[in-house]
Amino acid sequence: MNKITILLLASILIGFTACSSRKQSRNEEVAEFRSQLTIEDTTTMLKLCDDAMEALKAKNIDKVLASLCEYTDSTKEVKPLSKETAQRYRRQFTMFPVLSYERKYYSFQLEGCNDVKYEVVFATAEQAGTDQPAKTAYMFNPVKIDGQWRLCVKTADEEIDKTMH
Protein backbone atom coordinates (compact mmCIF):
# COMPACT_ATOMS: atom_id res chain seq x y z
CA MET A 1 0.00 0.00 0.00
CA ASN A 2 1.18 3.45 -0.73
CA LYS A 3 1.36 6.25 1.85
CA ILE A 4 -1.78 8.03 0.59
CA THR A 5 -3.88 4.87 0.94
CA ILE A 6 -2.57 4.29 4.47
CA LEU A 7 -3.29 7.90 5.45
CA LEU A 8 -6.79 7.68 3.96
CA LEU A 9 -7.55 4.47 5.86
CA ALA A 10 -6.15 5.95 9.08
CA SER A 11 -8.34 9.05 8.63
CA ILE A 12 -11.43 6.93 8.09
CA LEU A 13 -10.68 4.83 11.18
CA ILE A 14 -10.11 7.93 13.29
CA GLY A 15 -13.41 9.36 12.02
CA PHE A 16 -15.30 6.19 12.94
CA THR A 17 -13.66 6.09 16.35
CA ALA A 18 -14.50 9.73 17.05
CA CYS A 19 -18.13 9.23 16.05
CA SER A 20 -18.59 6.07 18.06
CA SER A 21 -16.93 7.51 21.16
CA ARG A 22 -19.15 10.60 20.91
CA LYS A 23 -22.20 8.37 20.56
CA GLN A 24 -21.07 6.35 23.54
CA SER A 25 -20.71 9.48 25.67
CA ARG A 26 -24.30 10.50 24.77
CA ASN A 27 -25.48 7.03 25.71
CA GLU A 28 -23.63 7.34 29.00
CA GLU A 29 -25.20 10.76 29.62
CA VAL A 30 -28.67 9.36 28.93
CA ALA A 31 -28.04 6.39 31.22
CA GLU A 32 -26.80 8.68 33.99
CA PHE A 33 -29.82 11.01 33.67
CA ARG A 34 -32.25 8.10 33.67
CA SER A 35 -30.58 6.53 36.71
CA GLN A 36 -31.31 9.68 38.74
CA LEU A 37 -35.03 9.76 37.93
CA THR A 38 -37.74 8.63 40.32
CA ILE A 39 -41.32 7.44 39.92
CA GLU A 40 -42.32 10.94 41.04
CA ASP A 41 -40.39 12.40 38.08
CA THR A 42 -42.34 10.22 35.67
CA THR A 43 -45.66 11.06 37.33
CA THR A 44 -44.95 14.81 37.40
CA MET A 45 -43.69 14.91 33.82
CA LEU A 46 -46.65 12.97 32.43
CA LYS A 47 -49.15 15.03 34.45
CA LEU A 48 -47.75 18.25 32.97
CA CYS A 49 -48.22 16.89 29.47
CA ASP A 50 -51.61 15.25 30.08
CA ASP A 51 -52.91 18.46 31.74
CA ALA A 52 -51.86 20.42 28.65
CA MET A 53 -53.68 17.96 26.40
CA GLU A 54 -56.82 18.17 28.57
CA ALA A 55 -56.68 21.97 28.38
CA LEU A 56 -56.36 21.77 24.59
CA LYS A 57 -59.29 19.37 24.47
CA ALA A 58 -61.28 21.92 26.52
CA LYS A 59 -60.23 24.57 23.94
CA ASN A 60 -58.26 26.48 26.57
CA ILE A 61 -55.42 27.35 24.19
CA ASP A 62 -54.36 30.46 26.11
CA LYS A 63 -53.79 28.40 29.27
CA VAL A 64 -51.59 25.97 27.37
CA LEU A 65 -49.63 28.70 25.60
CA ALA A 66 -49.01 30.41 28.96
CA SER A 67 -47.63 27.15 30.39
CA LEU A 68 -45.36 26.29 27.45
CA CYS A 69 -41.70 27.28 27.39
CA GLU A 70 -38.75 27.20 25.04
CA TYR A 71 -35.53 25.54 26.14
CA THR A 72 -32.03 26.46 24.98
CA ASP A 73 -29.71 23.51 25.48
CA SER A 74 -26.44 25.44 25.25
CA THR A 75 -27.39 27.76 28.15
CA LYS A 76 -29.83 25.40 29.91
CA GLU A 77 -32.27 28.31 29.85
CA VAL A 78 -36.03 27.94 30.04
CA LYS A 79 -38.04 30.96 28.93
CA PRO A 80 -41.64 31.72 27.93
CA LEU A 81 -42.57 31.22 24.29
CA SER A 82 -41.60 34.07 22.00
CA LYS A 83 -44.49 35.90 20.35
CA GLU A 84 -43.69 34.21 17.05
CA THR A 85 -43.56 30.72 18.54
CA ALA A 86 -46.73 31.30 20.56
CA GLN A 87 -48.51 32.48 17.41
CA ARG A 88 -47.33 29.42 15.48
CA TYR A 89 -48.64 27.09 18.20
CA ARG A 90 -51.90 29.04 18.46
CA ARG A 91 -52.43 28.44 14.71
CA GLN A 92 -51.54 24.76 15.08
CA PHE A 93 -53.85 24.23 18.08
CA THR A 94 -56.67 26.09 16.28
CA MET A 95 -56.26 24.29 12.94
CA PHE A 96 -55.93 20.88 14.60
CA PRO A 97 -58.17 21.01 17.68
CA VAL A 98 -57.95 18.14 20.15
CA LEU A 99 -61.20 16.15 20.01
CA SER A 100 -59.50 13.19 21.64
CA TYR A 101 -55.95 12.04 22.20
CA GLU A 102 -53.87 9.06 23.16
CA ARG A 103 -50.37 9.15 24.60
CA LYS A 104 -48.28 7.05 22.22
CA TYR A 105 -45.03 7.04 24.17
CA TYR A 106 -42.70 8.92 26.43
CA SER A 107 -38.96 8.75 26.69
CA PHE A 108 -36.41 10.22 29.05
CA GLN A 109 -33.17 11.29 27.35
CA LEU A 110 -31.46 14.19 29.13
CA GLU A 111 -32.49 17.00 31.44
CA GLY A 112 -33.39 19.17 28.45
CA CYS A 113 -34.37 16.59 25.86
CA ASN A 114 -37.31 14.27 26.54
CA ASP A 115 -40.22 13.11 24.44
CA VAL A 116 -43.92 12.80 25.14
CA LYS A 117 -45.86 12.08 21.97
CA TYR A 118 -49.63 12.06 21.52
CA GLU A 119 -51.84 10.97 18.67
CA VAL A 120 -54.57 13.59 18.29
CA VAL A 121 -57.94 13.21 16.58
CA PHE A 122 -58.80 16.64 15.19
CA ALA A 123 -61.79 15.73 13.01
CA THR A 124 -64.30 12.91 13.18
CA ALA A 125 -64.60 10.57 10.21
CA GLU A 126 -67.83 12.35 9.29
CA GLN A 127 -66.16 15.78 9.47
CA ALA A 128 -63.19 14.49 7.45
CA GLY A 129 -65.47 12.82 4.89
CA THR A 130 -63.64 9.51 5.27
CA ASP A 131 -64.13 6.24 7.07
CA GLN A 132 -61.45 7.15 9.65
CA PRO A 133 -61.06 10.21 11.85
CA ALA A 134 -58.39 12.73 10.87
CA LYS A 135 -55.34 12.52 13.11
CA THR A 136 -52.09 14.33 13.76
CA ALA A 137 -49.39 14.11 16.43
CA TYR A 138 -48.36 16.54 19.14
CA MET A 139 -45.05 16.24 20.94
CA PHE A 140 -43.82 17.95 24.08
CA ASN A 141 -40.33 18.27 25.53
CA PRO A 142 -40.63 18.30 29.32
CA VAL A 143 -37.33 19.41 30.80
CA LYS A 144 -35.98 19.06 34.32
CA ILE A 145 -33.95 22.12 35.23
CA ASP A 146 -32.83 22.82 38.79
CA GLY A 147 -34.94 19.90 39.99
CA GLN A 148 -38.19 21.24 38.51
CA TRP A 149 -40.11 19.92 35.49
CA ARG A 150 -41.20 22.50 32.92
CA LEU A 151 -43.27 21.89 29.81
CA CYS A 152 -41.37 22.93 26.68
CA VAL A 153 -42.17 22.69 23.01
CA LYS A 154 -40.40 20.19 20.80
CA THR A 155 -38.93 21.77 17.69
CA ALA A 156 -37.94 20.07 14.47
CA ASP A 157 -34.20 20.56 15.06
CA GLU A 158 -34.21 18.92 18.50
CA GLU A 159 -33.24 15.31 18.90
CA ILE A 160 -35.96 12.82 19.54
CA ASP A 161 -35.67 9.27 20.78
CA LYS A 162 -35.59 7.44 17.48
CA THR A 163 -35.93 4.06 19.19
CA MET A 164 -39.51 4.96 20.15
CA HIS A 165 -40.86 5.47 16.61
Side-chain angles (χ1 to χ4, degrees):
M1 280 199 239
N2 65 28
K3 287 181 183 181
I4 293 176
T5 305
I6 293 171
L7 286 174
L8 181 61
L9 287 173
S11 297
I12 291 170
L13 286 174
I14 290 169
F16 282 137
T17 304
C19 289
S20 65
S21 67
R22 192 180 92 186
K23 181 70 169 172
Q24 182 63 26
S25 78
R26 167 136 173 116
N27 288 342
E28 289 171 359
E29 288 176 28
V30 169
E32 181 181 341
F33 176 70
R34 287 176 177 171
S35 74
Q36 298 169 5
L37 296 173
T38 65
I39 291 172
E40 185 178 311
D41 284 310
T42 303
T43 303
T44 301
M45 184 264 295
L46 291 177
K47 182 169 177 12
L48 273 175
C49 297
D50 289 349
D51 286 352
M53 292 303 295
E54 280 297 315
L56 289 172
K57 186 176 176 183
K59 299 189 183 348
N60 198 342
I61 294 172
D62 289 332
K63 178 181 178 182
V64 174
L65 291 174
S67 70
L68 288 175
C69 300
E70 294 179 89
Y71 175 73
T72 305
D73 190 45
S74 60
T75 60
K76 308 237 184 283
E77 179 185 17
V78 177
K79 61 184 178 183
L81 296 181
S82 68
K83 283 185 179 182
E84 297 80 22
T85 303
Q87 191 60 28
R88 187 173 70 242
Y89 276 93
R90 179 179 301 284
R91 274 192 306 273
Q92 177 181 337
F93 295 150
T94 303
M95 287 176 53
F96 303 103
V98 177
L99 301 181
S100 65
Y101 65 90
E102 177 184 355
R103 186 183 326 119
K104 297 310 275 185
Y105 77 85
Y106 65 93
S107 174
F108 292 105
Q109 292 291 305
L110 297 168
E111 68 180 5
C113 183
N114 302 291
D115 299 338
V116 180
K117 184 176 182 179
Y118 294 90
E119 181 179 79
V120 174
V121 173
F122 66 89
T124 64
E126 184 179 38
Q127 290 169 327
T130 63
D131 60 344
Q132 296 290 317
K135 297 178 182 179
T136 189
Y138 285 172
M139 184 175 280
F140 295 112
N141 177 27
V143 301
K144 187 177 185 183
I145 303 299
D146 297 328
Q148 184 177 24
W149 285 100
R150 303 285 303 272
L151 189 57
C152 294
V153 294
K154 194 78 172 176
T155 59
D157 59 338
E158 290 180 295
E159 269 195 59
I160 59 173
D161 188 352
K162 293 170 181 56
T163 63
M164 300 304 294
H165 296 304

